[in-house]
Amino acid sequence: MQEVLRREGNAVSTALALTQQNKHDGFVCVSCAWAKSHPPHVAEFCENGAKATAWDLTSRRIGADFFARHSVAQLEAMSDYALEEAGRLTEPMRWNPASDHYEPVSWEEAFGHIGTELKAMEPNQVVFYTSGRASNEAAYMWQLMARLYGTNNLPDSSNMCHESTSVALPMSLGAPVGTVTLEDFEHTDCILIFGQNTAVNAPRMLHQLDEAAKRDVPIINFNPLRERGLERFTNPQSPRQLLVTGSRQILTADHRLLPGGDMAVLVGIAKLLLEWDDEARAAGRPAVLDWPFIEAHTHGFEDFAELVRGHGWDEIERLSGLPRAEIEGTARSYARAKATMAVYGMGLTQHRAGVQTVRMLASLLLMRGNIGRPGAGICPVRGHSNVQGQRAVYVTEKPELAPLDTMAEMYAFEPPRLKGMDVVESAQAVIDGRARAVLQLGGNLVRSLPERGLLEPAWRQLKLTVMITTKLNRSHLVHGQVAYLLPCLSRIEIDRQASGPQIVSMEDSTSVIHPSRGIREPASRALLSEPAIIAGLAQAMLPPNPRVDWRGWVADYARVRDEIARTHTEWYADYNRRLMQPGGFLRPNPARKRDWRTVTGRAQFSRPESLFANPDVRISGGDVLALMTVRSNDQFNTTVYGTDDRFRGINGSRDIVMLNAADMKRLGLKAGDTIGLETAVDDGVERRVSGLRVVPFELPVGCAAGYFPELNPLLPLWHHALEAHVPAAKSIPVRVLMGS
Ligand SMILES: Nc1nc2c(c(=O)[nH]1)N[C@H]1C(S)=C(S)[C@@H](COP(=O)(O)OP(=O)(O)OC[C@H]3O[C@@H](n4cnc5c(=O)[nH]c(N)nc54)[C@H](O)[C@@H]3O)O[C@H]1N2
Ligand SMILES: Nc1nc2c(c(=O)[nH]1)N[C@H]1C(S)=C(S)[C@@H](COP(=O)(O)OP(=O)(O)OC[C@H]3O[C@@H](n4cnc5c(=O)[nH]c(N)nc54)[C@H](O)[C@@H]3O)O[C@H]1N2
Ligand SMILES: [Mo]
């Protein structure tokens, strides 16, 4: 971290900024979405949050002179790292096709021109993407702008992330978000973690895990990779300790299952519970299952139990990659615990069967009544700092998730009712030439999406690309025929509007909504806030509407919160007042109170028919490996801070592939060899990445791992969670190409 601070040339001021991170009177960290404790720790941040802060507060600037010096073609020759490292954008820019340079443009002209272009388009050919960092206020204005324009094309980074959760949990529990709060960690007796790399991607959760470990709570982890960061506790808040490796042991057990083997593991545990419950009841001992709960609160148990019993141990062991004894150990801890919580991340959601697997996890919790009581629950760990909040304030392509009738009345318009495009559908529309414009509120889709080989050339055919952004990235260079960069304030910066400095709000992974106020002077005086840019665009592209006071809302964001409060009186009642309470406020989740808003009015057991995580791309062994694309501790998604993956001990390059020693031997490879990978599916598209260094790693035979986004060219667009369309980035079938 010291290295990032030094490189960004702002060590002292960043250090001061960090003391105000995730505090009630400071700003909400721009990194992950993990819950903020109340009262806060003295320094409520972690190594990665500190890096993200330093990255935003860099002293480097790129203005008109930078773009005058480099044509877009020249910029394209720079690495992704160098693009972001160049510094903060300082003023709006428009691409000039005659010179191939981005050139400065006034805000008025930019809004006017974009408005004219959009007015000439069919609304359903325009995509309004949101990356999960923008505030509730900006997100609410963004979705309203898109809907007033006439489309529900509101994909969000959540489509590539926890959409499997957002589809699964409403079916199982009647609410799309987790049921766990920070307090539950104090009461839990057992923590199961599936496919979430806590130390890297939600490091502040180590506080809660460490406290639980001190109480001897079993913490059981399932991950194909050995993630050292999780094994031992290093206090993520103490700058001095950031570099210290190892102190207290956190994990009780660490199971190295196969990628996509979670479904088999969960069914195995459930099968044992059913057997033990049969035995206990036959012998007159206390039941293992929570029968009063199952009977009073759930639906579909009989079918569920029958399907679980029908799966044999051969199949469970083969598909999970774990011997029965290992699964039994977890089942015993689970059966003993009074209150269990299940924490999970991308290792569950980014598979073809991502939705079914999340549903199976919920079912396992339901078997012992582990939803809706202290210390128990399901805990999807969200990614971006406000991704959950954005979806809650209706940035969604699914019209049924937005209160369209209420908005129709509030703003006297007829909202579009046609389903919009999610991220995968938007990418397909770009590839097919059906989409004409993409507007991005943050993000870097040209890098974060699958199918790069087809996507990049198609992206250049778009009529219009508009990027609301803080720094330069690849998606600014692979651009449409009309292309704008609209640079915005970071939320670490003071956002001054007519009524004074503004606050914005963010919802964390545990549904707590926090205020965030900027503390630093803006990187440039020409920057606008995200709400101001959205209002500028909206006024230019939409006919005036006396009910929508864009200008007034920007003058005082409290008025946007009043609007949000009117759309959902239960969630956002008294929004402005409650936001200012110390610790923020909790958005209610009925499942926490065992109020099940499902079709049957009960919690629903799932139907675990298949144990295959990737039903139509079966990993057969042989020459096909299951490739997982993961994050290092030196990146935030497509933003790469450096090439050292400290916890995994991989240094110097991210163009690597981790392999098991046995696979290396079989393939005749040794550490340091250079290979290529190609996607092993037969669909007429060639997908290859070359120049990858072989790194021996502790992971099961038959699989491989490497980094997102470098390996995204290997991911077919159609290889996604079936019901949720989350790209199945955690098991891409690949073959090794020797010597390339
Ligand atoms: N520092 C930092 N923090 C971040 C981010 C970042 O890039 N950097 N990104 C943010 C975002 S948007 C998100 S969504 C989250 C992502 O955070 P995580 O959910 O932790 O995401 P990943 O690192 O992609 O993968 C998680 C883990 O899943 C494991 N895994 C892969 N396949 C399987 C499988 O089939 N089963 C199981 N059980 N495990 C598997 C991988 O080995 C890896 O350890 O983090 C957020 N926080
Ligand atoms: N193969 C593979 N692909 C994946 C994943 C994977 O695990 N494997 N993970 C997926 C997941 S979970 C996610 S969430 C997506 C992420 O996909 P995206 O949302 O497309 O990407 P990010 O890297 O999060 O976006 C970074 C960019 O956001 C802009 N930005 C940063 N801060 C701000 C701000 O305050 N305001 C604005 N307006 N812009 C800002 C900067 O320009 C920066 O370059 O990628 C997905 N893709
Ligand atoms: Mo994410």
Side-chain angles (χ1 to χ4, degrees), residues 173 178-180 184 290 293 297 339-340 365-366 368-378 589-596 603:
L173 308 177
T179 65
V180 161
D184 288 314
D290 185 343
F293 174 83
H297 288 282
T340 297
L365 291 169
L366 291 174
R368 289 186 35 83
N370 276 312
I371 303 279
R373 62 191 165 77
I378 193 153
N589 177 345
R592 280 176 58 76
K593 299 204 167 110
R594 298 190 166 178
D595 167 6
W596 317 104

Side-chain angles (χ1 to χ4, degrees), residues 650-651 653 655-659 664 668-676 691-697 739-740:
I650 299 171
N651 298 308
S653 169
D655 296 318
I656 58 100
V657 55
M658 295 171 238
L659 291 174
M664 285 172 54
L669 294 170
K670 49 184 197 320
D673 282 354
T674 302
I675 58 166
L692 300 170
R693 177 164 58 91
V694 173
V695 176
F697 205 81
S740 58

Side-chain angles (χ1 to χ4, degrees), residues 250-320:
I250 286 220
L251 295 180
T252 319
D254 193 9
H255 299 290
R256 202 84 53 238
L257 81 175
L258 285 173
D262 306 83
M263 189 71 179
V265 167
L266 295 167
V267 166
I269 300 172
K271 193 174 165 71
L272 290 164
L273 294 182
L274 289 169
E275 279 170 29
W276 295 341
D277 187 73
D278 292 344
E279 285 163 22
R281 293 200 299 159
R285 294 195 306 268
V288 174
L289 305 188
D290 185 343
W291 286 105
F293 174 83
I294 292 171
E295 275 153 22
H297 288 282
T298 70
H299 180 263
F301 177 78
E302 292 307 324
D303 281 355
F304 166 80
E306 197 184 318
L307 286 166
V308 167
R309 288 182 203 271
H311 292 291
W313 278 103
D314 282 358
E315 193 192 10
I316 292 172
E317 290 189 329
R318 184 166 52 84
L319 294 177
S320 68

Side-chain angles (χ1 to χ4, degrees), residues 608-665:
E609 270 149 327
S610 164
L611 302 188
F612 284 98
N614 298 283
D616 45 4
V617 189
R618 298 203 176 170
I619 318 275
S620 57
D623 65 337
V624 177
L625 303 170
L627 171 73
M628 301 173 270
T629 53
V630 298
R631 294 159 166 79
S632 83
N633 75 308
D634 228 3
Q635 78 183 92
F636 192 90
N637 295 346
T638 66
T639 299
V640 172
Y641 304 122
T643 50
D644 289 336
D645 188 347
R646 180 161 59 81
F647 290 120
R648 298 194 186 102
I650 299 171
N651 298 308
S653 169
R654 294 171 47 90
D655 296 318
I656 58 100
V657 55
M658 295 171 238
L659 291 174
N660 177 294
D663 282 321
M664 285 172 54
K665 194 166 170 209

Side-chain angles (χ1 to χ4, degrees), residues 31-33 48 161-162 193-198 200-203 222-225 227 257-262 344-348 350-351 381-384 628-633 635-637 641 648 708 730:
S31 191
C32 81
N48 290 324
C161 186
H162 265 293
I193 305 178
F194 293 89
Q196 206 275 328
N197 191 6
T198 314
V200 167
N201 294 320
F222 289 87
N223 197 317
L225 289 185
E227 300 289 30
L257 81 175
L258 285 173
D262 306 83
Y344 68 96
M346 298 299 99
L348 282 203
Q350 293 181 333
H351 285 289
V381 185
R382 303 273 167 176
H384 268 291
M628 301 173 270
T629 53
V630 298
R631 294 159 166 79
S632 83
N633 75 308
Q635 78 183 92
F636 192 90
N637 295 346
Y641 304 122
R648 298 194 186 102
F708 147 61
K730 296 295 187 268

Side-chain angles (χ1 to χ4, degrees), residues 49-376:
K51 276 187 207 162
T53 302
W55 203 250
D56 271 15
L57 295 185
T58 175
S59 54
R60 298 201 183 88
R61 302 286 178 268
I62 48 174
D65 52 334
F66 174 88
F67 289 100
R69 280 201 307 277
H70 306 282
S71 68
V72 171
Q74 286 165 345
L75 292 172
E76 280 201 60
M78 289 167 64
S79 69
D80 288 355
Y81 172 80
L83 292 178
E84 292 220 21
E85 176 71 4
R88 289 280 300 277
L89 291 155
T90 57
E91 59 188 313
M93 310 293 290
R94 172 176 54 198
W95 178 63
N96 179 349
S99 65
D100 189 34
H101 280 261
Y102 272 108
E103 293 171 356
V105 59
S106 72
W107 284 106
E108 291 65 34
E109 210 182 322
F111 293 145
H113 186 191
I114 296 166
T116 308
E117 291 286 339
L118 289 173
K119 280 185 197 159
M121 289 183 194
E122 153 62 34
N124 287 322
Q125 295 182 327
V126 180
V127 174
F128 293 88
Y129 174 77
T130 323
S131 184
R133 191 177 287 195
S135 64
N136 274 4
E137 292 78 358
Y140 182 79
M141 291 170 69
W142 182 253
Q143 63 80 35
L144 182 61
M145 172 177 77
R147 293 195 161 104
L148 286 165
Y149 176 62
T151 183
N152 285 309
N153 286 343
L154 285 159
D156 183 277
S157 57
S158 159
N159 287 127
M160 296 184 266
C161 186
H162 265 293
E163 189 64 16
S164 303
T165 297
S166 309
V167 171
L169 294 188
M171 291 196 257
S172 295
L173 308 177
V177 297
T179 65
V180 161
T181 65
L182 281 187
E183 220 186 303
D184 288 314
F185 281 86
E186 293 162 25
H187 304 288
T188 191
D189 290 313
C190 178
I191 301 176
L192 307 177
I193 305 178
F194 293 89
Q196 206 275 328
N197 191 6
T198 314
V200 167
N201 294 320
R204 287 178 298 102
M205 193 200 291
L206 292 177
H207 288 299
Q208 285 81 42
L209 294 183
D210 183 51
E211 289 301 319
K214 276 190 212 156
R215 293 193 291 116
D216 288 328
V217 170
I219 303 178
I220 304 172
N221 188 46
F222 289 87
N223 197 317
L225 289 185
R226 177 171 177 209
E227 300 289 30
R228 288 195 184 81
L230 241 183
E231 289 171 4
R232 287 176 180 279
F233 181 70
T234 310
N235 188 339
Q237 78 173 26
S238 154
R240 257 182 306 118
Q241 278 198 349
L242 289 177
L243 299 172
V244 177
T245 47
S247 47
R248 197 184 349 272
Q249 177 83 27
I250 286 220
L251 295 180
T252 319
D254 193 9
H255 299 290
R256 202 84 53 238
L257 81 175
L258 285 173
D262 306 83
M263 189 71 179
V265 167
L266 295 167
V267 166
I269 300 172
K271 193 174 165 71
L272 290 164
L273 294 182
L274 289 169
E275 279 170 29
W276 295 341
D277 187 73
D278 292 344
E279 285 163 22
R281 293 200 299 159
R285 294 195 306 268
V288 174
L289 305 188
D290 185 343
W291 286 105
F293 174 83
I294 292 171
E295 275 153 22
H297 288 282
T298 70
H299 180 263
F301 177 78
E302 292 307 324
D303 281 355
F304 166 80
E306 197 184 318
L307 286 166
V308 167
R309 288 182 203 271
H311 292 291
W313 278 103
D314 282 358
E315 193 192 10
I316 292 172
E317 290 189 329
R318 184 166 52 84
L319 294 177
S320 68
L322 298 179
R324 176 174 169 160
E326 274 192 47
I327 298 175
E328 248 181 59
T330 305
R332 282 199 199 288
S333 298
Y334 180 51
R336 262 196 303 267
K338 286 196 204 70
T340 297
M341 64 167 72
V343 172
Y344 68 96
M346 298 299 99
L348 282 203
T349 61
Q350 293 181 333
H351 285 289
R352 298 282 278 168
V355 172
Q356 288 310 320
T357 312
V358 173
R359 290 209 62 191
M360 182 61 212
L361 185 58
S363 298
L364 185 71
L365 291 169
L366 291 174
M367 290 176 86
R368 289 186 35 83
N370 276 312
I371 303 279
R373 62 191 165 77

